[in-house]
Structure formats: structure tokens, C-alpha cells
Amino acid sequence: MTKDLIIVESPAKVKTIKKFLGSNYEVEASVGHVRDLPPRALGVDEDKDFEPLYEVIQGKQKVVNKLKSKAAKAEHVYLAPDPDREGEAIAWHVAELIKGKNDNVLRIQFNEITSRAVKEALEHPRELNRALFDSQQARRVLDRLVGYKLSPLLWKKVKRGISAGRVQSVALRLVVDREKERQAFAPQEFWTFKAQVADAEGHDFGVELARIDDKKAEVGGAAEAAALVNRVLGDPARAVAPEDLLPPESVGESAGRADADGVVVRGPGVDFVVQAVDEKERSRAPQPPFITSTLQQAASQRLGYGAKKTMSTAQRLYEGVELGDRGTVALITYMRTDSVRIADEARDAARAFITGHFGPEYYPDKPRAYKTKASAQDAHEAIRPVDVTLTPETVRPVLQRDLYSLYKLVWERFVASQMASARFWDTTVSLDAAGSVWRVKGERMLFPGFLAAMPAAGKKQTPELPKLEPDQALALRELRPEQKFTQPPPRYSEASLVRELEEKGIGRPSTYAAIISTLLDRDYATLLDKHFVPTDLGMIVCDQLVKHFPALLDVDFTATMEQSLDEVAEGQEDWVALMKKFTSDFYPTLEAAKKEMAAVKGGLETGIACELCGKPMVIKFGKAGTFLACSGYPACRNTKNFTRDAKGEIEILEKQDADPEIVGKCPDCATGDLVIKRSRTGSRFVGCNKYPECTFTAPYSTGVACPRDGCDGMLVEKSSRRGKIFYSCNRYPECDFAVWDWPVNEPCPECGSKILVRKNTRGKGEHLACPNRKCNYTRSLDEDGDGGAGEGQEQA
């Protein structure tokens, strides 16, 4: 009997879908894209309406041959890659490759990998969407033109090997512009005031200054702060001078003066009088279910996940994970979406769960529906659990930690989004003290509503207020003025950068993670305390592009281009016409930039003179990052490392006085010593101290042999581009074994793993553990004194 063939995108889906459909269907995977533009050529015929010259991706010919073979034997072929533009493009290319083998080719798509959704999709197949494919094709060709035309220019003018991209360059501009705002920022002094007051029974609570003489409280200096303190205290004998409020060299003993913590203790008879007590009920509605950008933001803020990790983890939850006796189960719907819409059956399932699990009062009077923003494509539902009855605690025993944490985030947000509002009783108390108004707000929960599904969102510390009445006098216990300064705008975190990209219409849900990865991978930015800091390379690339390609680097222009691509997807605009319109400005601008862009490969001027020869020092872009070098090279080889202060000014880092650790003689030059050094990203390596005359380097060895069977490599120290240390086989890429923790040359007594690793966690402190995820063996270092060789005990 001839079977129908279903071609999906990911191998992980094959097993899940086969379970639903039985023996009447063959299910194969394209393993992502099968055709693309050539990797080392433009691959676009600009004279033939930008015709793309596609070819089978290197290494994919075996997959393509298998798909052709299966298609030739099938009665019908159903193309089922992911339900978005990229998925439509994969389907289109697969169809082109197999069309000589089978003409009965149709497209199906589903937002969730469930038996119902897959079977329903098979009942309603459609033709391939040419407009949707053209939109993806236009984006691909557009990005190829920009990248292949701009990158060589940057190689010639700035540094070889770097790149420019249509969307990544605009994202870089956001990061650079924010850094320039910070460097130009001038802090302004201001003062805040807090007080501790108590009623006659001794119940005390804190209040904050709100107004002075019916105006918003604005205190800009120590003199104004001292004047307000004296006004509130009302005792000339205990007057406070401005210098008393500033950090003192010595502290007076008398009451009414500032102590070492900046607290002004009250004088006798100072009272605050209750001016008003306002009480009202307030409701708080839940947020809509996640879309791609809000999931990435929440995962960053609550779980510490980067955008790339969030999307890869969500992909696994979407494609299906093993749930013990249940087999492979898909847990969430498609994770690349900008729509907050949910299916009717999902809303009905949520209502049944909420009323049954929490009670009828936890469901709103009418079902909640959220409005998707006008610029959204709205092709797919919001991100939600496939089966709302699979609670996080139900699947926790069989899910890996990362999968569980993200599923819990998605599940809680979805269930909460369908629940009743939380209700609170708010109390705001206003106090008067010598014409100044002080306030405190208290909050008491009346009904948890949606917070019952996500209790972490309801944890808020509010003061417990005693019963208060107007005109009631409260004794001042202490007055605390505090000098502060305005802060520069914060650098972007991954969460805030994604939010900014979304709000400005730059990129689409499927591209946010790639944009962020590109900024880091190209060394245009680094992460400092999880916030983006542009490198000198990123700054100069951005400045050059903004100067010579103002339209391309314009945020509004990029957002308008995204809208145009959406119009192509909707069949409202021709993609070739869009390309012609874009290149009519881009090509002349590019030719002008080739002539006018200043070359900085020789180094950026710094205004710093070389202390050895007096010639100017310049910033150079090396393989290991930026450094200062004498412009008199090679006659003068003076180099220095540097950093920048808050204003962007260069600060030279002097070489450490301590001698480097010598670990042997250099095998290349035989005269130099091998010393331990650190790479720009933090890992140690061994290098010759005769550098740059001798360039020998080697990885820092842990002294532990690679435990993988058949491998004769050694585990060496490495660091990721983001600075995280790990230990991997020195035979990579032939062997890809790696662990995050320092390896110890000792077998696991439980599972037989050839090594253990040394960990340090909050709950267990320093201990040894088995790196095998399926083995739970651990041993405290106290059990054997040292627990084996630790980090640094083995030499290279």
C-alpha cells in the first residue's frame, strides 16, 4: 500500500507525529533549510530582477536524496515545516527539489504538535503561499546585498573579517547611541527625605516627603536640605548646617544633628499630623499570554536566560519532550509569534481548568480577549501550553531543569491571562509637618485572582499601617535626608534591547535572538553585568555607517522596510519592485562611500604620545581585541592595554608588577619561557614571553585525559565569547566533549564515568559530582580532605 509522506522541518518532530498517525504515513525531516544562496558568492543576478541563484546547502545532499526517494514512492507529499515565513521558504525549496518525483505536493501547518492539530491540518491542506515565500526571499536577497556590498568596504576601511547587516547594524546603533548618551550625561544632585513616625501606642512606620508648600518636593542641594530639616524640627537650638548632612569626618553627639548614617534625630515636641487617610479598592488585571518578545524578556528577567537559550529551549518544548509513560509530548504552541490571540478551544480548556482547580470565582464574568497590536502579523496564536492540565508540577519530575523553568513561565502566564483580576484595598496616608507633606501607601489583598496561578508576581512588601485618623499627632522618631545624583540612562540588557527592537519595529520575532548573537559574535559589543557595552570596533563601525549610510542606519527606515516586507507577504507589493526601490538609493550611496569613507586600519588617533619615542599612540583592532600601539611601528613596538572610563576617555592599564608564572621553555624558539596568560574572554592559555618575536601559544591543560572512548585528547581550558569558562577536548572539532566545571581525574563509583567535576554551589559548597546528567553521585570535599586535584593543581 502506498503511503503519504509528511516532511517536517526538525527531526525532533518526526517521532511525535508518527505516534499520532500510525502506519499510513511516512514522516521525514528536512533538517532545516535545504537550499540557500551560495556561501562564498553574491548569488543574486542583479541584472535579472535580482534572481536568486540557489544551491543545495553543503552537507544536505544526502537529506535531499532521501526526500526525493521517499517522495517518488508516496501518493501525496505534505510539506509541514514551521508555520512562518522561514517555514514557507523551506517548504517551497523542498517542493522545487522533489517536483520531478511527485506532483501531488501540498502545504499543511499547525500551531501545536497534537493529534488533533496534525489531523486537522491534513484535512485542510493548501497550496504553497507564493507571496509568503516572496517575502522571505526578498528579506534574504536584501540582507545578502547589504552584507556582501558593505562588508568588503568595512574590510578595506576598518578591519578584515568584520561584517555589516541591514538589521544588526541598526541594533548596534541603538547600543552605541545609548553609550554616547551615558558618556555625555552630567549628573544632577538631588535629595530624598524619609522619616520614621509612631503613634501613641508605639506603632511605627516610614513615610516619604511628597510636597513642600503645595509644590512637588524638589531639593537640589545640601543648603536646601538643611533648611527643610530645620523647618521640620522647628528648634533653632538644634539647627543643622549643610555640612552636617554630608558624609562627615567626625560626628557630633547632640540630638538634632546628623549621625554617621545621615539620620537626624528629632528634638523634643516634634510632631507629624495626619492630614488625610484615603482608602479605596483597586483591581489589577492579568497580562496577555506571551508572544516571542515578551517571553524573551520575562525569561531574561526571571530566569537569567539569553534570547538564544530561551528560543532553543522553547523549540524543544514545542517539538516534544519525553514524559515517561506518556512518551514524547509537545508542551507548548509555536514560539515565534507576535499575536496575543488564542484559539477558542484553548480558552474553553482554560476556563474548565480554572473553575475546577481554583474555583468559579477565579474566572472573570466574561472570557478575556486581548488586542494584538496593528503591526503584528497575527498568523499564529500566542505562546501557550498545549494541554493546560499538564501543570508544571506534574511534569517537573521528568523534565530537565531549563525545560521545566521555561514551561512553568509559559503555563503560569497563560493560565493567569484567563483568570479574574486581583483585588486590593489601598490606603494612602498624608501627613503634615511644618507645611511639608509626607506620604505612605499600604496595600492589603482582598482577592488574589490571577495571582493564585503565579504567586511570585504578587509578592510585594508594603508597610502594615496602624489605624489612623485625620488630625492625629504622630511622634517623629527619626528623619533621614539622603544626597543622591541622577543616573545616566541604563545600558540595554537582552530583555530591554528586545523590547526596544519590538517597539521600534526592527526585525521580527524570529530574528531577535540572531540579532543579539551577531552583535556579540562580531565583537561589536560585549556583555558587562548582563548589559551591552559597545566595543571600540563596534563604535567605529557604527559611526562610519551612520555617516555614509544614514538611511540604512535610520531606525524609521528599517521599520518601514519591515512593513514593506509584510506587504509583500500579504500580496500587496511586488518583491522585485521593492528591491529596485531600495537599490536605487543604496547603490549610489555605496559608490560614494567607497571614495569618501576614511580608512582607520592604520589605527584610530588617541591624542596620546608614546613614552618611548614620542610618536602618537593609536587604537588597533587585533584578533584578541583592541589595544594601543605606537604609530612608529615597526621601529617602535610599544603596545598597551586600555579601558575607558564613564565618559569614554582612555585609561591606560599598566602592566602588573607580579612576574608571570613560568611553566616551561618555548618549543618553537627554544630561548623564550612559556608563561600563563589570559585571553580577552577570560580563559587561560600558555604563550611565549618573547611575543611578538615568537607567536607560540597552546591551550591551558587541566592534566585530565578526555574521557570519551577512543579519544586520546586532553581537556583544556576555554572560554565562550561571552566570557564563560569551560573545559573541552583539545581535539575539537574531531571530539566535542566538554564540561562546564573543572575536571578531576577520578572515576565515578556509581556509573563508571571516567571523570568527576569540581563544583561550588550555594547549598552544598565545594563538592565533587558526576558530569553524567543521569547520575546523581556527589561527594563533599570534607569526606577525603581535598577531593582530588582541584583547579590550578595540574600544570600545562
Side-chain angles (χ1 to χ4, degrees):
M1 178 180 174
T2 304
K3 297 182 179 181
D4 288 338
L5 173 64
I6 298 174
I7 300 176
V8 295
E9 183 175 331
S10 167
K13 297 178 187 176
V14 172
K15 185 177 179 181
T16 310
I17 294 176
K18 276 186 175 179
K19 183 178 70 172
F20 302 146
L21 300 180
S23 60
N24 292 332
Y25 292 87
E26 289 271 6
V27 185
E28 294 292 339
S30 69
V31 196
H33 282 272
V34 290
R35 288 203 314 180
D36 198 5
L37 300 175
R40 292 179 176 82
L42 178 61
V44 176
D45 193 331
E46 298 164 273
D47 297 326
K48 292 184 178 180
D49 288 341
F50 305 96
E51 178 185 351
L53 307 175
Y54 293 117
E55 61 182 38
V56 174
I57 296 172
Q58 187 174 2
K60 283 295 187 73
Q61 192 60 57
K62 186 176 180 180
V63 172
V64 170
N65 291 340
K66 185 177 183 181
L67 295 179
K68 287 181 177 180
S69 175
K70 293 284 186 179
K73 300 173 184 177
E75 183 173 351
H76 298 92
V77 178
Y78 296 102
L79 303 175
D82 287 345
D84 56 13
R85 291 177 189 172
E86 290 297 318
E88 199 71 18
I90 292 172
W92 191 277
H93 288 302
V94 170
E96 287 292 301
L97 290 170
I98 68 172
K99 66 183 180 182
K101 304 295 182 180
N102 195 321
D103 294 329
N104 296 322
V105 179
L106 291 170
R107 174 79 159 110
I108 62 172
Q109 64 182 64
F110 32 82
N111 190 54
E112 59 185 55
I113 304 177
T114 61
S115 177
R116 177 197 59 78
V118 173
K119 290 176 180 177
E120 186 176 296
L122 286 167
E123 291 172 1
H124 301 90
R126 63 168 173 81
E127 298 293 329
L128 284 164
N129 187 327
R130 178 76 206 207
L132 199 59
F133 169 68
D134 281 346
S135 177
Q136 188 277 343
Q137 182 167 253
R139 182 187 297 276
R140 188 74 185 95
V141 171
L142 187 65
D143 290 343
R144 174 56 65 96
L145 286 176
V146 172
Y148 263 69
K149 301 289 186 179
L150 277 188
S151 296
L153 177 62
L154 294 178
W155 287 26
K156 181 179 180 181
K157 302 289 187 177
V158 182
K159 179 189 175 185
R160 186 170 180 81
I162 62 176
S163 70
R166 181 180 60 87
V167 179
Q168 84 181 43
S169 297
V170 179
L172 175 61
R173 182 177 185 175
L174 294 177
V175 173
V176 169
D177 285 352
R178 178 59 57 88
E179 193 68 16
K180 289 180 177 180
E181 286 182 58
R182 291 173 56 85
Q183 293 172 356
F185 180 79
Q188 300 294 318
E189 181 183 4
F190 70 99
W191 286 70
T192 61
F193 287 78
K194 296 180 180 179
Q196 199 73 13
V197 296
D199 63 12
E201 285 74 38
H203 302 121
D204 66 332
F205 56 93
V207 295
E208 295 187 22
L209 179 66
R211 302 183 69 81
I212 302 173
D213 295 330
D214 292 329
K215 297 180 181 178
K216 180 181 177 181
E218 294 180 349
V219 179
E224 294 177 60
L228 180 61
V229 168
N230 293 328
R231 173 176 168 176
V232 171
L233 294 179
D235 187 353
R238 292 180 171 83
V240 172
E243 56 269 21
D244 294 325
L245 302 182
L246 297 170
E249 294 294 328
S250 58
V251 181
E253 296 293 335
S254 61
R257 308 287 285 187
D259 66 15
D261 294 323
V263 176
V264 176
V265 183
R266 72 165 179 86
V270 177
D271 287 334
F272 279 41
V273 178
V274 177
Q275 192 177 62
V277 180
D278 296 319
E279 296 180 303
K280 63 180 179 180
E281 185 173 319
R282 171 178 58 87
S283 64
R284 177 181 165 192
Q287 295 177 298
F290 283 128
I291 59 176
T292 303
S293 60
T294 54
L295 176 63
Q296 290 176 355
Q297 292 165 41
S300 174
Q301 294 161 350
R302 291 179 55 183
L303 304 177
Y305 291 1
K308 189 174 183 179
K309 178 177 181 177
T310 298
M311 295 310 291
S312 62
T313 307
Q315 182 87 33
R316 293 173 64 190
L317 293 172
Y318 165 67
E319 292 177 344
V321 294
E322 286 291 331
L323 293 185
D325 295 339
R326 295 174 181 264
T328 303
V329 178
L331 290 180
I332 67 171
T333 54
Y334 193 57
M335 62 286 161
R336 293 185 179 92
T337 177
D338 53 8
S339 172
V340 293
R341 173 180 56 82
I342 63 169
D344 292 342
E345 57 266 29
R347 183 175 290 109
D348 294 342
R351 176 172 55 197
F353 178 84
I354 292 165
T355 55
H357 187 79
F358 296 103
E361 68 275 19
Y362 282 85
Y363 195 77
D365 294 335
K366 60 179 181 179
R368 292 192 183 277
Y370 297 93
K371 186 177 181 181
T372 296
K373 64 180 182 178
S375 61
Q377 297 175 48
D378 200 30
H380 317 297
E381 288 185 69
I383 305 169
R384 61 168 176 82
V386 167
D387 182 356
V388 73
T389 64
L390 282 179
T391 66
E393 293 311 306
T394 301
V395 298
R396 185 173 192 172
V398 290
L399 279 187
Q400 294 177 8
R401 181 178 178 181
D402 290 350
L403 294 171
Y404 163 76
S405 298
L406 195 67
Y407 180 66
K408 183 172 185 284
L409 204 63
V410 171
W411 186 93
E412 288 184 346
R413 176 75 167 241
F414 169 69
V415 173
S417 74
Q418 301 304 302
M419 294 177 70
S421 297
R423 292 185 287 112
F424 302 87
W425 188 254
D426 286 350
T427 302
T428 302
V429 179
S430 300
L431 310 177
D432 177 81
S436 60
V437 177
W438 304 67
R439 290 201 178 106
V440 61
K441 292 184 178 181
E443 176 188 281
R444 178 166 56 91
M445 182 183 289
L446 299 176
F447 175 66
F450 73 92
L451 294 175
M454 46 190 316
K459 293 179 180 178
K460 181 181 178 182
Q461 297 296 324
T462 57
E464 186 173 339
L465 301 176
K467 183 67 176 177
L468 299 170
E469 301 289 344
D471 299 326
Q472 180 180 347
L474 302 171
L476 174 63
R477 289 280 176 84
E478 67 180 36
L479 186 62
R480 187 186 295 271
E482 185 176 355
Q483 181 190 39
K484 294 188 176 182
F485 294 89
T486 54
Q487 297 298 308
R491 293 183 174 115
Y492 288 109
S493 63
E494 285 204 18
S496 60
L497 183 57
V498 167
R499 183 169 60 247
E500 189 80 355
L501 292 172
E502 182 193 23
E503 289 178 354
K504 294 186 179 300
I506 301 169
R508 283 294 179 257
S510 60
T511 64
Y512 297 143
I515 291 170
I516 287 172
S517 294
T518 300
L519 293 182
L520 298 170
D521 293 343
R522 295 289 184 267
D523 290 326
Y524 289 158
T526 59
L527 284 175
L528 177 63
D529 296 329
K530 297 185 178 181
H531 287 77
F532 288 95
V533 182
T535 62
D536 284 271
L537 179 61
M539 295 279 272
I540 189 60
V541 167
C542 181
D543 288 346
Q544 293 279 49
L545 293 177
V546 168
K547 180 178 180 180
H548 296 284
F549 298 89
L552 189 65
L553 271 289
D554 182 73
V555 171
D556 292 336
F557 174 84
T558 305
T560 301
M561 180 59 72
E562 292 292 349
Q563 294 172 6
S564 297
L565 290 169
D566 290 344
E567 290 171 358
V568 172
E570 295 162 4
Q572 299 175 7
E573 183 166 356
D574 177 71
W575 82 272
V576 175
L578 177 62
M579 295 302 306
K580 289 180 178 178
K581 180 180 178 182
F582 171 77
T583 55
S584 66
D585 177 73
F586 177 63
Y587 285 169
T589 305
L590 179 67
E591 292 306 312
K594 290 178 179 178
K595 300 174 183 177
E596 299 169 6
M597 183 180 287
V600 296
K601 290 187 74 172
L604 296 176
E605 295 182 2
T606 63
I608 300 172
C610 174
E611 76 274 19
L612 300 182
C613 70
K615 291 187 176 180
M617 297 289 283
V618 295
I619 295 175
K620 289 274 194 176
F621 303 114
K623 291 182 179 180
T626 54
F627 61 97
L628 292 180
C630 180
S631 58
Y633 179 87
C636 179
R637 295 175 175 268
N638 188 20
T639 62
K640 291 181 179 294
N641 290 325
F642 72 96
T643 185
R644 291 187 182 273
D645 62 17
K647 294 296 182 183
E649 299 297 326
I650 291 175
E651 289 184 342
I652 295 176
L653 299 176
E654 298 299 333
K655 293 181 180 179
Q656 297 180 353
D657 294 331
D659 295 327
E661 183 180 351
I662 299 175
V663 295
K665 280 291 182 182
C666 177
D668 271 17
C669 68
T671 58
D673 291 322
L674 292 182
V675 296
I676 296 177
K677 300 183 178 183
R678 284 199 180 270
S679 70
R680 177 177 50 81
T681 51
S683 60
R684 289 172 290 185
F685 68 96
V686 176
C688 181
N689 65 354
K690 295 290 187 180
Y691 179 86
E693 288 82 3
C694 178
T695 60
F696 175 82
T697 61
Y700 183 87
S701 176
T702 65
V704 177
C706 177
R708 183 160 288 172
D709 291 339
C711 180
D712 58 359
M714 298 292 291
L715 298 184
V716 297
E717 185 170 301
K718 296 286 187 178
S719 53
S720 69
R721 287 184 177 272
R722 303 190 187 188
K724 188 170 183 177
I725 303 295
F726 65 96
Y727 307 91
S728 66
C729 182
N730 65 349
R731 295 187 65 246
Y732 179 85
E734 288 81 9
C735 176
D736 61 359
F737 180 86
V739 290
W740 287 113
D741 303 289
W742 180 267
V744 175
N745 196 11
E746 178 183 339
C748 174
E750 291 190 4
C751 74
S753 168
K754 294 181 180 179
I755 66 168
L756 297 176
V757 293
R758 187 170 184 142
K759 289 178 170 285
N760 191 337
T761 60
R762 184 179 298 176
K764 295 183 178 180
E766 282 198 304
H767 64 283
L768 296 182
C770 181
N772 183 353
R773 290 185 176 182
K774 296 181 180 179
C775 179
N776 296 320
Y777 175 76
T778 61
R779 184 176 80 242
S780 170
L781 292 181
D782 293 335
E783 293 180 23
D784 54 8
D786 63 6
E791 182 171 350
Q793 291 180 306
E794 299 284 359
Q795 291 298 325

